[in-house]
Amino acid sequence: MPQPHHWPSILLAALVPELASAGALHVGGFGTLGLSCFSSDQADFVLNVQPAGPGRSGRCDPRLDSLLAVQVDAQLTPVLEFGLQLTSDYNADGDFAPEPTVAQLRWHISDAATLRLGRTHNPAFLYSESRNVRYAMPWVRPPLEVYGLLPTYTFDGAEILSQGHWQGWHMEFQGSAAVADIDNPRANATGTDEAELKQAALGLTLDQADMLFKASYVRGRVSYSTPDLDALFGALRSLGGAAGASLASDLDLDDSRYDLFALAARYETDRWLVLAEYGYRPIDDSFFRDMQGAYITVGRNIGVWMPYATLAQRWTHGPDSDPRAGAFAPLVDTVLAATRFDSRSLSLGLSRPVHANATLKLQLDWIKPDDASWGLYTNHGSDYDYAHPDADYLMSINLDFVF
Amino acid sequence: MRRLTPLRIAMLLAGLYLARPSAAVEPLAVVTHEQAALQHLSRDEAMRVFLKQQPLPTAARNLIPFDRTDDSLRAQFYQSVAGMSPHRLRAYWAKRVFTGRGRPPESLDANQAAVILSHNPAAITYTPRDQPLANSKTVLSIE
C-alpha cells in the first residue's frame, strides 16, 4: 500500500507521458555539495532536526548542507498547475531518503491570485520557502538564530497568494492554514519523537527596485512529548499535589499556542547587499520559553567576488526554575535549562559564481553560546561547559547549483 | 625590487579592479508585433512584464515575454530595466521557480524571435536597435 506522501509522485507519474508530449511539463532542480568542519569536540552543529553533524560526532561532515532536489511542474490546464519537489537531504532519521517538500495543486484564480493546495513551505521568513535553494541566497545556509525559531518548514494545507501594485511598490500577500507532523531526533540516542503543529500564517512582502520589506505573523498550536517528559509530568501530577499538577499542566507541550512575529528588510544592488531579519516567538504553556532572534548581513560585490559578513543573536526569555516543583525541582530545572539556546555568531563569507548555474561559497562562523546555554547545538558531551561554553569555529565550503 | 607591502597590494588590486574592461552598451528596443494594441511601455512596466510581476498594466496584461539567448544582450536588457546582474537574475528566477511562483520567459535567438514576433501578436521581446526584427514595432527605446 503506498504511503500518503507518495501519492503526489504516483499521480504525477501517471500524468507525465501525456503532459510531456503536450509540452506542459517542466523539470528542474537544485542542490548543494558541501563540507563543514566544526572545532568543538563537545557538541555537534546541526541544521534543525538533523541527528548529528560536524563536531563531537566527527570533526568534518559533508551531510550538514549537502542536498539534492528535483522539481516537476505540470501545466494541467491554462489555470491549473501541479508541482512536485522531492528533496534528499540529511534528515531526522539519519538518512537521505527523498521526501516531497512541495506537492501542490496551483489554481491561478486570476492574473494576480493563486490558490495552492497540498504541501507547501512555511512562509514566515524571507528565505523560508526557498531555504534549500542555497544558490538563491547569499550565505551557505540561513542564520539559525532566526530560522531556527520555527524549525518546521513543510506544511500540508491551503495557501492563497495575491499580488498587487501600490505607489510603485510590488506587493505580495500570503495567507495559509496548514498542519505538520515532524520527527525530532533524541540527542545522543537513536530514535525520534513526533511533534504535531497546526498554524495559520499571514505575510506581506513589498518590493521596489532595490528595496524589499516583509512582515509575517504566524499563530499556531503545537504538541510534543518524549518518554522522559511524560514520566516527569506524570510524576508531578501524581506525587506533586495541586501545585505539581498545575506546574505539569503549564510545562506540558500539549496543544500549546505559539505565535511568531517576523520582520525582514533587504537592500540589494549589483554592488551592495544589506539584509536584516528579526523574529519573536512567544509560546504559552510549555517547557519551551519565549525566544527572539535577529541577524544583519552586509555584502559587497567586487567583480565576481562577494565577501559578506553576518552578525546574529538568539535570546531566550523565561524562568530557570519554578517554586511549584517541590522535590522535583532538580528535574524541572534541568528541563527548563534544556531549552535555553542563547547564542551569538559572526560569520565571514566569500562567494563566487563558477558557472552560469553554480556558485562556490566559503564561510567561517565564530559561534559563542551565552553562559548557561546549550547553544544551537545537539549531542552535547558530558564535558560541555553549560555554565561557560567555549567559542567555536565552523568552516564550510559549499557548491550551490541549479539545473 | 620593491617590497610588497599591504598598502601596495591593496593599491594594485584596486587598480586592477578599476581597469577591468566594461561591457559595450548599445541602444536596445523592446518590440512587439506591428499590429499589437500596445503602443508604449515604461521601463518599470517592461521590468514587470519580463519579471512576470503581476498584476500587469491593462495594455500589457496578455503579453507573452520572450528572452534572448544572446547572453550579453540579455544582460544589458535586465541591467537597463531592472538594474539586475545576470547572477541576480538567475537567483531571482531560481527563487521563483522553486517556490512555485512562475517560470522565466522562454529564450529565443534572433531568427526564432523574428518568427515568433511575426506570428504572435501577444509576443514581446527586445533587440539591438540596429538589428530590428521584421514585422515589429518599438514600444520602448533604451539608450
Side-chain angles (χ1 to χ4, degrees), chain B:
Chain B
M1 188 170 167
R2 286 182 169 182
R3 280 181 56 213
L4 276 177
T5 64
L7 179 62
R8 287 207 175 106
I9 292 171
M11 288 173 66
L12 182 64
L13 289 174
L16 287 171
Y17 174 66
L18 292 171
R20 73 200 190 286
S22 57
V25 175
E26 55 184 338
L28 301 181
V30 178
V31 293
T32 60
H33 188 281
E34 61 185 350
Q35 290 173 359
L38 183 70
Q39 298 299 322
H40 177 74
L41 270 185
S42 67
R43 280 192 192 217
D44 180 63
E45 289 167 339
M47 177 189 76
R48 287 161 58 188
V49 168
F50 281 87
L51 295 181
K52 298 189 178 181
Q53 292 183 343
Q54 303 285 355
L56 295 170
T58 308
R61 194 151 288 170
N62 296 317
L63 292 175
I64 303 171
F66 288 92
D67 265 332
R68 300 294 297 275
T69 50
D70 183 327
D71 287 343
S72 62
L73 175 58
R74 190 170 60 237
Q76 189 191 330
F77 173 72
Y78 282 101
Q79 191 69 58
S80 300
V81 299
M84 293 172 93
S85 67
H87 184 66
R88 271 183 71 196
L89 183 68
R90 284 192 290 269
Y92 170 84
W93 280 116
K95 205 172 170 188
R96 303 274 297 181
V97 167
F98 297 119
T99 58
R101 282 174 167 75
R103 307 193 60 77
E106 191 181 337
S107 291
L108 307 173
D109 62 26
N111 292 333
Q112 292 169 324
V115 171
I116 289 280
L117 215 62
S118 60
H119 287 87
N120 188 344
I124 183 168
T125 189
Y126 46 89
T127 185
R129 284 239 296 273
D130 58 1
Q131 297 170 34
L133 300 174
N135 305 313
S136 70
K137 72 175 175 188
T138 298
V139 292
L140 171 64
S141 289
I142 301 169
E143 297 300 330

